[in-house]
Amino acid sequence: MPPTRQPTAQVQAERPAQVRAQGPAPRPTTTLRQRLAELRGPSVAPHPLDARALAALAANPGCKRRALLDGAGVDKGVLATALGSPAPFGQSQFAFMRGNAFEAKVKADGGAELLRLLYERLGGSSPAPGPDAATPDLSAAGPEGRAARTALALREATAAGGWALLDHPMLALEVAGSPAYLEPDAVVVHPDGRWTVVEIKSFPMIDASADAAKVGAAARQAAVYVLALERVAAVTEGAEVGHQVLLVCPKDFSNLPTASVVDVRKQRAVTRRQLTRLTRIEDIADALPEGTTFDPACSPQELESAVSSVTAAYAPECLAACELAFHCRARSRAEGAVETLGRSVRGELGGLTTVAGVLAAAAGKEGDPADPTVAALRRAAALRAEALESAAALRAEAGESAAAVRGQAPAEAGAACR
């Protein structure tokens, strides 16, 4: 056996340079699920995503902070409390009980009233639903079992070619590599294979119209259910998910149900686009400092540092949809960011990002006069100063007139006495 040849001195000298040129060894890769579990904390169970949270996320697609926390399953309410900025969210017990009572009334007698309302508005050419409409049992063990049972019931009802009412079905939607389990109020299967999402809300519908903000929130929530149903319909022969959902509310000031049809195609497109962006949260996580965690067991200082390492897109609308909104608002105000004034104001101010910068530009201390935004601010400041000057002059004139009247009053009184 020939002796092993030792590398020459030249080769030995070149090897370190080659190693240095290749750079440091890459870090061992981990799956996205493992990385998100590290962000939550080793002993923290993932907080489930529901349709309301996904709809709120779609309403603010530029917020990386919410995208990462929701994708990692972080309980933002617990995190906000640990940071010292708890959000006063939650439905009152009275409203909760009233909503449950109204839903039970709508679904009584096998959902006869619900099916009647749906047939009046979305029945099409199908025969009217009768008392023999199917109401399959969807009970199963765990959310995975219920989702599988729901998918089976949808396929069976579509194949049967009749009316079917699925009460609180369980749907699965993949979000950031992990399943999110969603529970709509009801899904109706039409004889022609169409599936319609039904949303039952306790806010009133007065003169056939309801509060626009509440209807918009319900439409965004229903759009999430439509997306989840489309996954099942894609593997079900003859099935089609309708883009018109049925919104059932109390009529006027009574407890009688009425319904309206809401087209959710726009909300569905926005939600689908945002969910596509959510699948890239691995890039957001990789940009975080080593050892970043949102474990509520950490100190407030550590959590503050972790939260601040992810950029947010705060707007006043977040106060009604995100548990971390009060924390983000406090930080945004401390930084003097114009986002605290609203998205519309932020869009009008162009490159001016702080309130101090806006005031300085309006006062002529900063900014390019050729900039249309700066010019508009200075014009507005000049008009304001002119208005204040005119108001001060009017007040001064009114004060002088009042003083003159007060001075004449004693003389007139004396003359009257004589």
Side-chain angles (χ1 to χ4, degrees), residues 103-114:
E103 182 176 340
K105 179 181 179 66
V106 172
K107 294 179 179 178
D109 299 327
E113 181 66 13
L114 174 58

Side-chain angles (χ1 to χ4, degrees), residues 65 304 307-314 327-340 353-357:
R65 182 176 297 172
E304 171 68 30
V307 171
S308 299
S309 64
V310 191
T311 58
Y314 170 77
H327 172 81
C328 297
R329 181 181 65 175
R331 297 301 174 270
S332 184
R333 285 178 173 176
E335 296 170 0
V338 296
E339 284 80 3
T340 57
T353 59
T354 63
V355 175

Side-chain angles (χ1 to χ4, degrees), residues 240-289:
E240 178 188 3
V241 182
H243 295 152
Q244 290 182 315
V245 304
L246 188 74
L247 177 63
V248 181
C249 300
K251 182 179 180 180
D252 297 329
F253 300 100
S254 69
N255 200 35
L256 299 175
T258 186
S260 176
V261 176
V262 181
D263 194 315
V264 298
R265 281 178 292 185
K266 179 181 177 181
Q267 292 84 355
R268 169 186 167 276
V270 172
T271 304
R272 178 186 288 277
R273 183 166 60 250
Q274 176 58 10
L275 291 181
T276 302
R277 295 185 61 180
L278 255 184
T279 59
R280 305 173 190 164
I281 62 173
E282 188 171 10
D283 298 334
I284 305 175
D286 289 342
L288 298 179

Side-chain angles (χ1 to χ4, degrees), residues 100-343:
N100 284 345
F102 178 69
E103 182 176 340
K105 179 181 179 66
V106 172
K107 294 179 179 178
D109 299 327
E113 181 66 13
L114 174 58
L115 291 174
R116 183 189 68 80
L117 290 171
L118 184 137
Y119 181 74
E120 287 180 356
R121 288 151 178 85
L122 293 171
S125 58
S126 300
D132 58 344
T135 55
D137 181 15
L138 304 178
S139 58
E144 298 91 344
R146 289 186 59 198
R149 181 69 188 91
T150 297
L152 178 61
L154 286 169
R155 287 192 288 269
E156 291 176 346
T158 303
W163 290 96
L165 172 63
L166 279 67
D167 185 8
H168 283 288
M170 183 66 73
L171 307 173
L173 185 65
E174 186 172 336
V175 180
S178 59
Y181 294 100
L182 315 170
E183 189 176 2
D185 293 327
V187 172
V188 175
V189 179
H190 297 240
D192 58 1
R194 188 158 38 103
W195 301 349
T196 299
V197 173
V198 178
E199 274 290 280
I200 303 175
K201 298 298 183 182
S202 59
F203 55 81
M205 193 175 294
I206 302 173
D207 292 335
S209 64
D211 182 85
K214 294 180 179 179
V215 172
R220 290 190 295 271
Q221 187 174 343
V224 179
Y225 299 137
V226 169
L227 284 175
L229 275 175
E230 286 178 344
R231 299 185 64 212
V232 184
V235 294
T236 303
E237 184 178 356
E240 178 188 3
V241 182
H243 295 152
Q244 290 182 315
V245 304
L246 188 74
L247 177 63
V248 181
C249 300
K251 182 179 180 180
D252 297 329
F253 300 100
S254 69
N255 200 35
L256 299 175
T258 186
S260 176
V261 176
V262 181
D263 194 315
V264 298
R265 281 178 292 185
K266 179 181 177 181
Q267 292 84 355
R268 169 186 167 276
V270 172
T271 304
R272 178 186 288 277
R273 183 166 60 250
Q274 176 58 10
L275 291 181
T276 302
R277 295 185 61 180
L278 255 184
T279 59
R280 305 173 190 164
I281 62 173
E282 188 171 10
D283 298 334
I284 305 175
D286 289 342
L288 298 179
E290 190 71 24
T292 298
T293 180
F294 304 101
D295 191 340
C298 297
S299 66
Q301 293 77 15
E302 292 174 322
L303 291 176
E304 171 68 30
S305 176
V307 171
S308 299
S309 64
V310 191
T311 58
Y314 170 77
E317 294 83 356
C318 297
L319 295 173
C322 181
E323 295 85 345
L324 274 179
F326 290 87
H327 172 81
C328 297
R329 181 181 65 175
R331 297 301 174 270
S332 184
R333 285 178 173 176
E335 296 170 0
V338 296
E339 284 80 3
T340 57
L341 305 177
R343 289 194 181 101

Side-chain angles (χ1 to χ4, degrees), residues 378-389:
R378 292 181 181 177
R379 175 60 178 163
L383 291 174
R384 178 179 181 273
E386 182 180 344
L388 291 176
E389 185 179 350

